[in-house]
Amino acid sequence: MNESNLHRFATRSLETKGRQFKEAAPSMRSEFQRDRDRIIHSTAFRRLEYKTQVFVNQENDLFRTRLTHSLEVAQIARTIARNLFVNEDLSEAIALAHDLGHTPFGHAGQEALNICMKAHGGFEHNLQSLRIVDYLEQRYADFDGLNLCFETREGILKHCSIKNAKLLGDVGERFLNKLQPSIEAQIANYADEIAYNHHDIDDGLRSGLLTIERLNDVKIWRTHYSQIKNQYPYLMNKKLNYETIRSMINTMVKDLISISTENLKQFHIVTIDDVRQSQAIVTYSLELKEQIIELKKCLFRNLYKHPYVVSMAEQGKKIIYYLFNAYFQNKQLLPKDFQTDEKRQARAIADYIAGMTDRYAFKEYSRITMLNR
Ligand code: MG
């Protein structure tokens, strides 16, 4: 990518704060393109294919998994970055890596693992994503992890407690100093939200758990749905739903680009330091923000808290509790790589469980229950 047409406040790969272990500059790619490629080649990235987004991965071939979710996030992030004349490669790398640390069984899995880890420092998927790219991937001769650039790592660490920030060194500093991340990281964050709101509507409708009637209670859906119906009076079912979703994504992306462009002017943003010291630059209009809150509440009530989704989540939690306790009581059940001394054992178990796909967790669960019979 040619970075010369980017705004001054964009993050340039030649000006990166660098990698933890010094490496020669890449010859055919920019630094952030190299980061993106390392993320795609990682084991954790491939495993996203079999991890729950909302629906447990084994349920149906049609629903999003964390992998297809991450690809949708990357594609939306690139469009926004390109239109704001900032670094598309960096936004893409952050987007592809943002969910690497997710446990099997989605948020329910993380909740369960966090409870298991309460006495051992807790578990948080965002921190785990960083842990994967910093230590856990084992591929390169000269270092553990992927040795990504500071800017990519910083973007991956979306939120963080003050206590953890103090332990994390350079990437933790912005939380201590209350600074913003790069504009590329801000973009990846919004792209995540745009992607999941819409694909969850799509998956929700296809599963039958979410209905048009419920969605019609929500202004943003109602508006776009009736617009598409007026434009194509004979359009039915799938195509009608999909065109509505498409039109909503378009509206959100456009709104985000235009408001962010305005913010850049209004806040007099010239340099990267201005970006960091300013209030958040990437935002929606107030009107759209309210509509999105209404949409999210609808998804929460009708999809994420649907008795069927909740019961699958509960099953996932049980499996995580069971596995954690089984490994903790008998570390011989773990692969050799994850058996360690008492002080580090709980964290190693969390790393092992977090790395599992949904189906592998099911398999381990039946293996160990068979052994314990
Ligand atoms: Mg995500």
Side-chain angles (χ1 to χ4, degrees):
M1 182 189 177
N2 180 1
E3 294 185 352
S4 59
N5 66 341
L6 302 184
H7 275 310
R8 242 184 90 189
F9 49 78
T11 311
R12 283 179 172 67
S13 59
L14 287 175
E15 290 161 14
T16 171
K17 289 188 192 163
R19 301 173 189 275
Q20 283 172 304
F21 301 89
K22 267 214 158 52
E23 292 185 65
S27 60
M28 298 175 291
R29 302 167 289 181
S30 74
E31 297 283 0
F32 301 134
Q33 284 173 332
R34 170 148 76 180
D35 282 3
R36 174 204 57 203
D37 297 349
R38 285 186 179 176
I39 292 158
I40 289 179
H41 288 289
S42 70
T43 309
F45 185 72
R46 279 195 304 284
R47 286 185 182 152
L48 295 177
E49 184 173 3
Y50 301 107
K51 288 194 181 201
T52 294
Q53 182 67 28
V54 172
F55 295 91
V56 171
N57 172 245
Q58 290 193 329
E59 289 182 60
N60 192 311
D61 289 349
L62 297 175
F63 299 136
R64 264 70 173 190
T65 65
R66 292 239 167 244
L67 180 64
T68 53
H69 162 69
S70 300
L71 296 175
E72 290 181 34
V73 176
Q75 162 257 330
I76 291 171
R78 285 177 55 185
T79 301
I80 300 169
R82 193 180 318 149
N83 280 277
L84 291 177
F85 297 95
V86 297
N87 203 315
E88 199 176 319
D89 297 326
L90 177 58
S91 280
E92 183 185 21
I94 296 168
L96 290 172
H98 86 284
D99 270 352
L100 288 179
H102 262 289
T103 60
F105 313 119
H107 284 279
Q110 136 149 334
E111 258 172 56
L113 197 50
N114 187 31
I115 290 171
C116 297
M117 287 294 287
K118 211 167 171 204
H120 316 278
F123 178 89
E124 209 276 316
H125 72 87
N126 199 221
L127 284 173
Q128 189 69 9
S129 299
L130 192 66
R131 196 167 153 76
I132 287 170
V133 301
D134 282 354
Y135 309 106
L136 297 180
E137 282 287 328
Q138 298 288 320
R139 316 182 68 80
Y140 300 96
D142 294 333
F143 44 80
D144 287 340
L146 305 179
N147 198 29
L148 303 181
C149 293
F150 167 82
E151 293 78 4
T152 310
R153 297 172 56 239
E154 180 207 46
I156 292 171
L157 191 65
K158 207 160 59 180
H159 37 76
C160 171
S161 66
I162 295 297
K163 194 176 136 218
N164 283 324
K166 285 180 184 159
L167 303 171
L168 286 170
D170 55 0
V171 284
E173 273 169 27
R174 80 174 178 86
F175 298 95
L176 303 177
N177 303 327
K178 299 205 164 44
L179 299 177
Q180 297 291 335
S182 69
I183 193 157
E184 289 84 357
Q186 296 182 37
I187 289 170
N189 195 8
Y190 274 87
D192 183 23
E193 185 187 85
I194 295 175
Y196 70 66
N197 278 334
H198 294 92
H199 62 50
D200 289 352
I201 296 177
D202 190 21
D203 286 351
L205 284 171
R206 217 146 6 89
S207 67
L209 302 185
L210 196 61
T211 60
I212 302 289
E213 289 67 44
R214 287 280 71 78
L215 282 169
N216 274 335
D217 295 339
V218 175
K219 187 177 176 197
I220 191 164
W221 172 270
R222 210 165 50 230
T223 313
H224 289 264
Y225 191 68
S226 59
Q227 262 170 21
I228 300 294
K229 268 171 98 170
N230 286 338
Q231 202 180 342
Y232 302 101
Y234 300 106
L235 207 60
M236 298 273 287
N237 306 331
K238 263 195 214 164
K239 279 197 174 180
L240 175 59
N241 295 344
Y242 187 66
E243 282 291 348
T244 306
I245 290 169
R246 180 173 171 239
S247 158
M248 282 167 62
I249 295 179
N250 222 351
T251 300
M252 288 191 196
V253 170
K254 264 191 192 151
D255 181 274
L256 201 70
I257 292 168
S258 90
I259 300 296
S260 307
T261 307
E262 236 167 72
N263 287 346
L264 284 161
K265 274 188 219 137
Q266 229 178 53
F267 306 159
H268 308 289
I269 304 295
V270 180
T271 64
I272 292 188
D273 282 340
D274 295 342
V275 171
R276 293 182 176 281
Q277 277 154 22
S278 154
Q279 53 185 299
I281 291 161
V282 180
T283 54
Y284 299 117
S285 61
L286 277 178
E287 194 199 340
L288 187 64
K289 199 174 162 187
E290 277 168 21
Q291 293 185 22
I292 293 172
I293 292 173
E294 192 196 15
L295 169 67
K296 284 178 129 169
K297 280 187 186 156
C298 170
L299 286 172
F300 188 81
R301 270 197 310 268
N302 297 294
L303 184 62
Y304 310 140
K305 290 291 164 198
H306 188 287
Y308 178 73
V309 173
V310 171
S311 72
M312 291 308 283
E314 286 305 316
Q315 190 195 355
K317 279 186 187 173
K318 267 189 208 152
I319 292 179
I320 303 263
Y321 293 136
Y322 183 88
L323 289 177
F324 188 91
N325 288 327
Y327 296 138
F328 201 70
Q329 278 159 25
N330 179 7
K331 67 178 180 183
Q332 304 302 329
L333 292 170
L334 289 160
K336 282 261 162 350
D337 288 4
F338 290 89
Q339 298 179 12
T340 175
D341 55 74
E342 213 178 301
K343 241 178 99 193
R344 289 178 301 171
Q345 192 56 69
R347 182 60 59 192
I349 293 171
D351 288 339
Y352 185 51
I353 292 178
M356 290 180 185
T357 60
D358 294 6
R359 57 185 193 176
Y360 188 76
F362 277 124
K363 232 166 104 183
E364 269 298 274
Y365 176 75
S366 30
R367 178 181 76 97
I368 296 172
T369 43
M370 290 282 274
L371 286 175
N372 287 348
R373 240 181 222 175

